[in-house]
Amino acid sequence: MKPVTIIAAALVTALTATSAFAGDKIATPQEPPFKIEKAQLAIKSPDTGVCPTQAKMAGWIFTNKPGPVTYMIVRKGGQVGFPQTVQAVKGAAGYVASFSNTFQVINAVDAEYRILVSHSGGVVSNWAPLKASCQ
């Protein structure tokens, strides 16, 4: 066989093989689903023993990518707060949805609270104590 014929035959074989795969669907990499990784709650109880006074609460919900996170605050042995939604955004520690608020303590209290994250497969935060003695 002449060299030109061998090159032409190799080219035809390569084109035939390429066209045979043209109809096959190649799987594209899938984006991982949104996942809640963990939650953390902190409460700063009032420094004074006189009510009414103020306390502070902050929470962090860590995720694997940005997106909305719905959570509720739960009192141990008691009420469940209404659902609230915050956005997870890129931060120094990865993706995190955070919130904070200051609230008024009117009566003496010795309770614990935690975050319950909706649609997370049961992710909850630590119990955070709230203590205030009113005199």
Side-chain angles (χ1 to χ4, degrees):
M1 229 181 207
K2 294 183 179 178
V4 174
T5 307
I6 293 173
I7 293 172
L11 183 59
V12 169
T13 303
L15 290 174
T16 305
T18 304
S19 64
F21 290 113
D24 290 347
K25 293 184 180 180
I26 298 174
T28 56
Q30 294 291 323
E31 180 84 16
F34 185 77
K35 182 181 176 195
I36 306 298
E37 296 174 344
K38 66 179 180 175
Q40 187 174 1
L41 182 66
I43 298 176
K44 182 171 183 339
S45 294
D47 294 333
T48 179
V50 178
C51 292
T53 187
Q54 304 237 324
K56 295 181 181 182
M57 175 185 292
W60 302 269
I61 303 166
F62 299 89
T63 67
N64 66 331
K65 61 185 189 178
V69 177
T70 301
Y71 70 94
M72 294 165 279
I73 302 297
V74 178
R75 181 177 175 156
K76 188 182 255 185
Q79 306 98 339
V80 176
F82 61 91
Q84 300 178 64
T85 302
V86 291
Q87 291 292 320
V89 296
K90 181 79 170 154
Y95 294 99
V96 64
S98 62
F99 63 90
S100 65
N101 60 38
T102 301
F103 57 94
Q104 195 165 39
V105 177
I106 299 171
N107 300 314
V109 63
D110 185 359
E112 291 182 305
Y113 295 86
R114 75 171 8 164
I115 300 169
L116 171 63
V117 185
S118 300
H119 310 293
S120 68
V123 173
V124 294
S125 72
N126 56 297
W127 287 107
L130 170 62
K131 294 183 182 190
S133 59
C134 298
Q135 299 171 1

